Amino acid sequence: MPGVASKKSLAIIGAGWAGFPVTQGVDLSLYSVTVISPVRTIQYTPLLASAACGLFDFRLAEEPIRRQKRTDVKYYKAMAESIDFDKRTISCRHAVEDLGRSRETFQVKYDRLVLAMGCDIQTFNTPGAFEHALFLRTTNDARIRELLHIRVVGGGAIGIEATAELHDLWEESMQYLYPHLQGKLQITIHDVADQVLTTFDESLSQYAMKSMMKKGVELKTSSHIEKVEADAIYTKEDGKLPYGMLLWATGNKANSLMDKLDVKTPEKGMPRILTNHQLQVLRPDGQIMEDVFAAGDAADIDGDSLPMLAEAALQKGEYLTKELNKGDSGFQTRFNYEQKANLAYLGQKDGVVGGKSEWTGAGAWLAWRSGSVAWTRSWRRKAWILYSWIWVWFNGRDIARK
């Protein structure tokens, strides 16, 4: 077994679906691992809407990077601002505001580098969106308040599932706690496309729209938001529309670090780091960048584009872990993406499943529930989530009167 002196330094930027598996599975006898991320946990995004609506504790929707059996992993709560690939140095800035260190910068050296920083939130430069909207990207974003008119911007899986969980919360619990408000809650979904769940087959998208409307959810498709204020949004089609709470669940935009990376990017579309099929980063001229790898939403395979889904990021992270653990003999095999089922929850034990096979209804809901448990990376959290669901089944959701 290699000694400490022979270890290579492995830096991992980001701890999402692609980076987290590497932080947990890479062989610590081969690598001295440094993780750079502004968030100290992986955020289980498919579970955030459920946590926000009282199905289980917020802590079950995230998992820490540093574990008791992997204390040798060094973690910096920081943002990577630039990378010198020739000198193998990362310039970082502290992200610990409460310690007054947010302006401090420092350098991290590496022998091997994994770029898995993900993407930033896409607001389409809508004025006021960052100041007034809530974003279901982290567990802090999921701690939402009960208000009567909720507008959800984004008709993708996250927006639909957030709407479904909010509707279930009201139907199963809140309307009985506040009986004088029955019939007054309104949820509206806004999307720039002409239908929701555009990543699914059109028949499943139409099913989802009908299911939402049966529940009293208003769908405003082909809706172009021009401005956001503290209590209203302004759309091109309808002008000023008031809200009590605004959830922003649109797509991604390029991570800000992309502007400073001298790497190959697609000629069209969103800038992403292009790699070969071994996930090795390519220089602008197409040559391989030695010992630098990329995965997650910030990266794509040159000539073989993959969807920006958690499943794709997770599979890339698991591939990187396996190959890194082979040492110098790794990365001789290609990464092959395995398409899995695409699931979405519609509320009231209804859902849709797309992919190799398609179905709807209660069976799809059960598949979504079991799939959500499968996302977690530890058996302890799987057990606690199952326990929480059983508890809610018999005793109702975890809510509190204010």
Side-chain angles (χ1 to χ4, degrees):
M1 183 177 293
V4 173
S6 65
K7 286 186 178 183
K8 289 186 176 181
S9 57
L10 174 66
I12 304 169
I13 300 178
W17 290 109
F20 185 77
V22 184
T23 70
Q24 303 304 295
V26 75
D27 191 339
L28 296 183
S29 70
L30 297 177
Y31 299 99
S32 297
V33 178
T34 299
V35 184
I36 302 164
S37 173
V39 183
R40 62 175 180 79
T41 61
I42 179 177
Q43 306 287 305
Y44 293 134
T45 47
L47 305 180
L48 292 179
S50 297
C53 296
L55 278 182
F56 45 76
D57 190 273
F58 288 101
R59 291 174 296 177
L60 299 181
E62 61 182 348
E63 196 149 351
I65 297 168
R66 301 191 67 192
R67 310 300 293 271
Q68 185 174 356
K69 295 182 179 180
R70 297 180 68 82
T71 54
D72 290 343
V73 173
K74 183 182 294 184
Y75 167 66
Y76 288 114
K77 185 178 176 67
M79 297 287 294
E81 294 202 319
S82 62
I83 303 171
D84 189 324
F85 293 117
D86 295 326
K87 295 181 179 180
R88 301 197 179 200
T89 303
I90 308 166
S91 178
C92 307
R93 184 178 297 277
H94 284 291
V96 187
E97 297 284 351
D98 55 341
L99 296 182
R101 302 174 62 188
S102 61
R103 294 186 177 277
E104 291 185 16
T105 60
F106 60 96
Q107 307 292 316
V108 173
K109 292 278 190 178
Y110 68 85
D111 294 317
R112 283 187 159 182
L113 173 63
V114 173
L115 298 171
M117 60 278 193
C119 292
D120 291 337
I121 299 169
Q122 177 61 276
T123 65
F124 305 101
N125 297 317
T126 306
F130 274 114
E131 292 81 2
H132 305 299
L134 301 175
F135 302 90
L136 279 174
R137 294 291 289 268
T138 68
T139 48
N140 285 335
D141 297 335
R143 300 175 193 276
I144 57 180
R145 52 197 175 106
E146 308 91 4
L147 295 169
L148 295 182
H149 198 137
I150 302 170
R151 295 190 184 274
V152 180
V153 180
I158 293 178
I160 292 295
E161 289 171 4
T163 300
E165 294 286 10
L166 286 166
H167 181 269
D168 285 357
L169 173 64
W170 179 258
E171 291 294 318
E172 296 172 10
S173 303
M174 301 304 293
Q175 67 169 329
Y176 303 110
L177 191 62
Y178 302 102
H180 60 291
L181 297 178
Q182 287 190 22
K184 296 182 179 179
L185 176 72
Q186 176 63 51
I187 304 177
T188 302
I189 298 175
H190 294 260
D191 198 285
V192 70
D194 59 1
Q195 62 187 43
V196 301
L197 293 182
T198 54
T199 57
F200 287 75
D201 183 81
E202 185 175 354
S203 62
L204 295 178
S205 174
Q206 292 297 323
Y207 177 91
M209 293 175 71
K210 291 178 181 178
S211 178
M212 290 285 105
M213 289 187 286
K214 286 181 180 178
K215 296 177 178 66
V217 175
E218 183 181 11
L219 299 178
K220 285 188 173 292
T221 55
S222 300
S223 178
H224 299 78
I225 299 176
E226 298 179 322
K227 183 174 65 172
V228 177
E229 293 184 346
D231 58 357
I233 62 173
Y234 291 78
T235 70
K236 179 180 178 181
E237 294 75 18
D238 300 306
K240 183 177 181 179
L241 298 171
Y243 67 82
M245 181 174 70
L246 181 65
L247 288 180
W248 201 278
T250 55
N252 298 317
K253 71 174 183 179
N255 190 287
S256 56
L257 181 59
M258 284 293 304
D259 295 334
K260 303 176 182 178
L261 299 183
D262 189 24
V263 297
K264 187 175 183 180
T265 58
E267 294 181 2
K268 297 180 180 180
M270 189 178 76
R272 300 173 74 185
I273 303 167
L274 289 182
T275 72
N276 61 11
H277 281 86
Q278 285 72 32
L279 307 190
Q280 296 167 304
V281 173
L282 302 178
R283 297 183 183 275
D285 61 2
Q287 296 297 309
I288 295 173
M289 191 176 295
E290 186 179 359
D291 291 325
V292 181
F293 312 90
D297 287 347
D300 203 5
I301 296 176
D302 190 19
D304 189 13
S305 185
L306 297 181
M308 296 175 68
L309 298 174
E311 183 60 51
L314 180 60
Q315 289 184 34
K316 283 186 176 182
E318 291 172 342
Y319 167 86
L320 283 175
T321 302
K322 180 180 178 181
E323 297 302 313
L324 285 167
N325 286 344
K326 294 178 182 178
D328 293 335
S329 63
F331 300 97
Q332 302 301 311
T333 60
R334 290 163 56 104
F335 167 76
N336 292 307
Y337 174 60
E338 182 181 351
Q339 179 67 50
K340 299 292 182 69
N342 201 6
L343 305 94
Y345 180 49
L346 304 178
Q348 298 292 286
K349 299 179 177 60
D350 189 13
V352 293
V353 174
K356 294 181 180 179
S357 59
E358 299 179 354
W359 73 92
T360 61
W365 166 71
L366 289 173
W368 179 81
R369 276 280 188 254
S370 60
S372 296
V373 175
W375 281 118
T376 58
R377 300 292 95 191
S378 70
W379 285 105
R380 181 171 64 177
R381 274 174 171 73
K382 293 179 193 292
W384 274 108
I385 288 174
L386 286 171
Y387 170 79
S388 299
W389 281 342
I390 294 171
W391 178 266
V392 169
W393 183 276
F394 289 104
N395 298 282
R397 295 172 181 252
D398 181 16
I399 59 175
R401 184 188 297 269
K402 290 186 178 181

